[in-house]
């Protein structure tokens, strides 16, 4: 329980990273978007916290923490998010479903992949890549799923850049504004992180409810060169649109 509490608490991460907090945040953003095992990392709340603790007043609340470099984060966080997602897309295109052919465990659940496929089919490739940035777990798995289902690499890169900038810089700027405006903001970081997580999950709940009303909960059948259930001789269904 203590471990779960720490993982959800951005202050714990920043305190752990100490003088390397800025670099650590960038590394976590890359890992959460590019490495499948990074899905449990606190992307949203950590970005907001990084914005908050880029102010000198807030940084005093964590012993040994220097204010994070806000200009550096604004420039490098989107780049790390873009590179991570590109890695995920490449691996999905290169290895297909072999990446996900593993039994469920405490960390990995096949439903994570199915949820990412659902969003990809539901919204279409371009919108799904952008929207997924704001949804925990989905933002990790959608990138390799996009590659697995044949989304063109150039098109993926375009919408990956759009989503990365909106997500990272949006969260950072929000955190910076809140950190500058609210006294003793450090007291509200963990409750705020929980609120962000809940808000991020709302789209999933709404889509599940909507999907059940429209089609009894059926998920559109995924298509693409790596979809193992595709009938012989059927169109490849590459996601170029």
């Amino acid at each position: 329980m203590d471990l779960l509490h720490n993982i959800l608490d951005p202050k714990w991460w920043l305190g752990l990273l100490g003088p390397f907090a800025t670099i650590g945040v960038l590394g976590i953003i890359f890992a959460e978007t590019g490495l499948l095992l990074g899905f449990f990392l606190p992307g949203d709340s950590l970005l907001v916290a990084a914005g908050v603790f880029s102010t000198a007043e807030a940084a005093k609340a964590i012993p040994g923490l220097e204010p994070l470099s806000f200009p550096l984060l604004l420039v490098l966080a989107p780049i790390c998010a873009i590179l991570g997602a590109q890695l995920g897309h490449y691996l999905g295109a290169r290895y297909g479903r072999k990446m996900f052919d593993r039994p469920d465990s405490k960390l990995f659940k096949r439903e994570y992949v199915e949820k990412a496929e659902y969003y990809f089919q539901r919204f279409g490739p371009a919108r799904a890549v952008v929207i997924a940035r704001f949804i925990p777990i989905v933002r990790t798995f959608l990138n390799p799923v996009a590659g697995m289902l044949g989304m063109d690499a150039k098109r993926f890169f375009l919408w990956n850049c759009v989503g990365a900038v909106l997500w990272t810089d949006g969260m950072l700027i929000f955190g910076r504004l809140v950190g500058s405006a609210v006294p003793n903001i450090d007291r509200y970081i963990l409750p705020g992180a929980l609120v962000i997580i809940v808000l991020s999950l709302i789209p999933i709940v709404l889509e599940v409810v909507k999907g059940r009303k429209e089609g009894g909960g059926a998920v559109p059948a995924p298509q693409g060169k790596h979809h193992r259930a595709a009938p012989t001789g059927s169109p490849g269904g590459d996601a170029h649109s």
Side-chain angles (χ1 to χ4, degrees):
M1 234 8 224
D2 286 342
L3 178 59
L4 177 61
H5 178 278
N6 289 338
I7 288 174
L8 294 176
D9 187 356
K11 282 179 62 179
W12 179 80
W13 284 98
L14 295 177
L16 180 68
L17 294 167
F20 306 103
T22 300
I23 296 173
V25 169
L26 297 173
I28 288 173
I29 294 305
F30 174 83
E32 195 206 13
T33 52
L35 307 176
L36 292 185
L37 290 179
F39 72 88
F40 65 89
L41 296 170
D44 294 317
S45 55
L46 188 62
L47 282 169
V48 173
V52 168
F53 290 100
S54 67
T55 64
E57 188 63 31
K60 294 177 184 177
I62 301 179
L65 181 69
E66 294 292 327
L68 280 72
S69 174
F70 190 67
L72 203 61
L73 288 170
L74 284 178
V75 174
L76 295 184
I79 293 175
C80 289
I82 290 167
L83 292 176
Q86 288 298 137
L87 174 63
H89 179 273
Y90 168 77
L91 293 175
R94 176 71 176 81
Y95 297 105
R97 289 192 176 270
K98 287 189 247 181
M99 288 185 65
F100 309 121
D101 282 341
R102 64 185 74 181
D104 283 359
S105 65
K106 289 182 179 180
L107 286 178
F108 177 81
K109 306 289 183 187
R110 293 199 62 81
E111 66 182 271
Y112 300 158
V113 183
E114 293 166 1
K115 198 172 294 181
E117 288 187 72
Y118 172 79
Y119 273 87
F120 191 84
Q121 299 294 337
R122 179 86 181 173
F123 294 110
R127 283 197 299 164
V129 170
V130 176
I131 292 171
R133 285 291 187 182
F134 298 88
I135 305 174
I137 299 177
V138 174
R139 69 170 152 260
T140 302
F141 286 92
L142 188 127
N143 303 316
V145 163
M148 178 181 71
L149 297 182
M151 185 175 183
D152 179 73
K154 291 181 181 178
R155 186 169 179 80
F156 178 83
F157 176 72
L158 170 63
W159 294 106
N160 174 23
C161 291
V162 172
V165 171
L166 290 175
W167 176 53
T168 56
D169 284 354
M171 293 291 179
L172 286 167
I173 291 170
F174 174 74
R176 176 78 175 192
L177 293 174
V178 171
S180 301
V182 180
N184 300 317
I185 186 61
D186 59 286
R187 299 179 185 176
Y188 309 105
I189 291 295
L190 182 56
L194 297 176
V195 169
I196 290 170
I197 291 170
V198 170
L199 291 176
S200 299
L201 293 175
I202 288 176
I204 295 178
V205 175
L206 292 178
E207 282 302 316
V208 169
V209 172
K210 186 177 179 181
R212 286 177 178 173
K213 287 181 179 178
E214 291 179 355
V219 176
Q223 300 294 323
K225 61 183 178 181
H226 291 298
H227 180 48
R228 59 188 173 198
T232 304
S234 64
D238 283 359
H240 295 291
S241 60

